[in-house]
Amino acid sequence: MRKELTKHHLCFALALALGAASAPALAQSRPADLKAVLEAAWQRSPQARTLEARRDEAAAGREAAQSWIAGSPAVGLSQRTDRWTKREGVRETEVSLSTPIWLPSQKAVRRAQADIGTEDLEAQIANARLSLAGEVRERLWAVAAARETLDEAKSHQEHLEAMTEEVMRRVNAGDLARTDGMLAQQEALAGKAAVVEAQVKLQEALTHYTTLTGLSDVPQLEPERIGAEMRDPHPRLLAAKTAVRHAQASMNVVSKSRSEPPTVGVAMRRERDGAAVDAASSITFAVEIPIGTNARNRPLEAAARTLIATASAEYAQVEASLRDEVDLARRKVLASQQTLETASSRAALAREHARLIEKAFRVGERGLAEMLRARTAVHEAEVAERQQRVAVGLAHARLNQALGISP
C-alpha cells in the first residue's frame, strides 16, 4: 500500500513539474494583441533579418567614411648593388610607404553619402515593418472571417438536426409524408457538409497565419481605432524620399571623384657609391595624382543619373497615390458600416419571417419546403451579417494601413 501511494505521489509531482515547465511556453504562444503578433512575424521575416543585418554594414560604411585613407597602404623594399657586376662596393637600399588618400571634397561627400545611407536604411526598415503589418492584418481578419463562417454553419446544422428530429417524429406519427422526412434529412446532411467545408477553410486560414507569424493562437480581434490623420512622416513616403536623397548623394560622390584619389608616399634611401665612400641617407616624399578620363567617368555618371531618375519617379508615384488610397479607404469604412446596418436589418427580418413560418408549419398551415426556404434565408442573412462585421474590422485595419499607422 505504501509503495502504491509513493508511486502515485511521484506521478503527481512529475505532472506538476511538467505543467510548471510548460506554462511559460504556453503563455508565450498566446499573443496579447496585434502588436505582439506583428513582433512575432517581424522576428520570422527574412527581409527583416536582412535589413537589420545591414545596420552593421551601414555602421562600417560610416566608419570608413571618417577615414582619410582611400585604400590599402603599401610598403615597398628595393635594393641595388654591383656585387654581381663590377664589385666596386656600390649599394643602395630603399624602404617606402605609400597610401591613397581622399581629397577634402571627396571625403565630405562620402561622409554625407554614408549618413544618408543610414537614414535610408532606417526608412526602409520602417516601411518594411508597415508592409508586414498589412500582411498580418489581412491574415488575422481572414481567420476571423473563417471562424464566423464556421460558427454560423454549426448553428445552422444544429437547427437543421433539431428540425429533422421533429419532422421524423411527425412522419412516424403519420402527420407528414415520408418525402418530407427525406427532404429534412437531405438538408441536415447538407448542413453537415457545410460545417466540414468551413472547418477546412478555417484550417487553411490558420495555416497561413501560423506560417507568417509562427504563432498558433489568435488574439481577440476588435475593430481598430481609426487614426485621426496620416502619419507624419509616412513610412512609404519617407522611404521613397530618402531613396532620392541617397541617389543624389551617390551622384555627388561621382561628381567629386572624377579620378582615383591621389597617392602620397615617403621613402628612406641609404646608398654608397663605392667601397671607399661612406654611406649616405636621404628621405623622399612623393605625390601621385591620377588624371580622370571620360571613359572612366561617363558610365559612373550615367548610372548615378539613372538612380536619381528612378528614385524620383517612385517618390512622385507614392506621393500621388497615398492621398487617393486614404480617401478610398475612408469611403470603404463608411460603406462597410452602412452595409452592416443593412445586413443586420435583413437578418432580423429573416428571423422574424422564419419564426412565423415555423409557427404555421407546426399547425399544418405551411409546408416543409417553405419552412426550409425560410431557414435557408435566415442562414444566408446571418452569414452575411457576421461576414460584414468582419468586413468593418478589416476596413478599419486597411484605413490605418493606408494612414501609415503600425500596431
Side-chain angles (χ1 to χ4, degrees):
M1 181 67 179
R2 181 175 299 175
K3 291 181 179 180
E4 293 179 356
L5 288 175
T6 302
K7 181 178 180 181
H8 287 306
H9 289 165
L10 289 174
C11 292
F12 181 69
L14 180 60
L16 288 177
L18 290 175
S22 62
L26 290 175
Q28 293 175 1
S29 67
R30 294 191 181 96
D33 52 17
L34 181 58
K35 184 176 182 180
V37 176
L38 174 58
E39 186 61 32
W42 182 257
Q43 295 301 322
R44 285 173 59 88
S45 172
Q47 183 185 15
R49 303 281 68 75
T50 301
L51 289 173
E52 291 187 344
R54 285 181 56 192
R55 281 175 170 158
D56 293 337
E57 180 182 345
R62 290 198 310 273
E63 183 178 353
Q66 299 290 337
S67 175
W68 285 96
I69 297 177
S72 299
V75 176
L77 175 65
S78 65
Q79 189 174 48
R80 184 172 65 90
T81 179
D82 66 346
R83 179 179 179 183
W84 311 106
T85 55
K86 296 181 179 181
R87 296 186 180 183
E88 295 178 355
V90 176
R91 180 176 299 177
E92 179 181 302
T93 302
E94 182 177 274
V95 179
S96 63
L97 174 65
S98 63
T99 182
I101 61 170
W102 297 114
L103 296 175
S105 58
Q106 293 175 333
K107 183 175 183 294
V109 293
R110 286 177 57 82
R111 182 175 179 180
Q113 182 190 35
D115 292 339
I116 295 175
T118 301
E119 295 178 12
D120 185 27
L121 176 59
E122 294 300 326
Q124 290 181 33
I125 291 176
N127 188 33
R129 191 176 181 89
L130 177 64
S131 178
L132 184 60
E135 293 185 41
V136 169
R137 283 165 166 150
E138 295 289 336
R139 300 284 175 88
L140 281 173
W141 286 106
V143 172
R147 282 182 171 175
E148 291 294 339
T149 300
L150 178 58
D151 290 343
E152 177 54 33
K154 287 181 177 179
S155 177
H156 187 55
Q157 179 193 13
E158 292 173 358
H159 188 276
L160 289 176
E161 290 177 347
M163 182 195 66
T164 300
E165 292 179 1
E166 181 181 354
V167 169
M168 294 306 299
R169 179 181 59 79
R170 294 181 63 179
V171 168
N172 294 332
D175 295 339
L176 294 175
R178 290 183 58 191
T179 54
D180 288 337
M182 293 178 182
L183 180 59
Q185 289 175 342
Q186 291 175 21
E187 291 294 326
L189 291 174
K192 186 176 182 180
V195 169
V196 174
E197 183 180 358
Q199 288 174 338
V200 171
K201 290 184 177 179
L202 175 58
Q203 187 58 48
E204 181 181 1
L206 285 171
T207 299
H208 292 324
Y209 166 77
T210 302
T211 301
L212 180 65
T213 64
L215 302 174
S216 57
D217 292 340
V218 180
Q220 185 67 30
L221 280 179
E222 295 291 340
E224 295 181 30
R225 184 177 179 181
I226 298 175
E229 57 185 11
M230 185 183 295
R231 180 179 171 183
D232 187 22
H234 194 289
R236 285 175 56 192
L237 193 61
L238 180 61
K241 186 175 182 179
T242 55
V244 173
R245 294 177 58 202
H246 196 193
Q248 291 172 342
S250 299
M251 183 66 186
N252 291 337
V253 170
V254 172
S255 63
K256 294 295 183 180
S257 304
R258 295 188 176 276
S259 63
E260 297 296 331
T263 301
V264 297
V266 60
M268 177 175 287
R269 177 181 298 176
R270 185 174 178 82
E271 56 187 346
R272 186 173 62 179
D273 292 336
V277 181
D278 295 335
S281 299
S282 62
I283 296 178
T284 303
F285 296 96
V287 177
E288 181 180 346
I289 302 178
I291 299 175
T293 61
N294 289 334
R296 172 191 179 276
N297 296 327
R298 289 185 63 182
L300 298 176
E301 292 174 354
R305 283 194 294 268
T306 300
L307 288 177
I308 292 177
T310 302
S312 299
E314 291 178 352
Y315 174 76
Q317 183 180 22
V318 171
E319 188 178 29
S321 64
L322 273 181
R323 293 292 178 185
D324 294 337
E325 291 178 8
V326 171
D327 291 340
L328 179 60
R330 290 191 187 279
R331 287 195 292 268
K332 286 185 176 181
V333 168
L334 293 176
S336 65
Q337 292 172 346
Q338 294 172 356
T339 305
L340 176 59
E341 294 175 0
T342 302
S344 299
S345 300
R346 175 195 171 193
L349 289 173
R351 284 190 290 269
E352 180 63 19
H353 178 259
R355 186 183 66 81
L356 295 175
I357 294 296
E358 289 178 3
K359 184 178 180 181
F361 172 74
R362 291 190 182 95
V363 297
E365 295 179 357
R366 298 286 184 174
L368 177 61
E370 189 173 359
M371 187 184 72
L372 288 176
R373 283 197 299 270
R375 287 308 310 171
T376 300
V378 171
H379 171 62
E380 293 176 352
E382 290 183 344
V383 167
E385 182 183 18
R386 285 173 176 259
Q387 290 300 319
Q388 194 56 40
R389 293 187 187 278
V390 174
V392 170
L394 181 58
H396 283 215
R398 287 175 174 173
L399 176 54
N400 281 341
Q401 183 72 22
L403 291 171
I405 299 175
S406 294

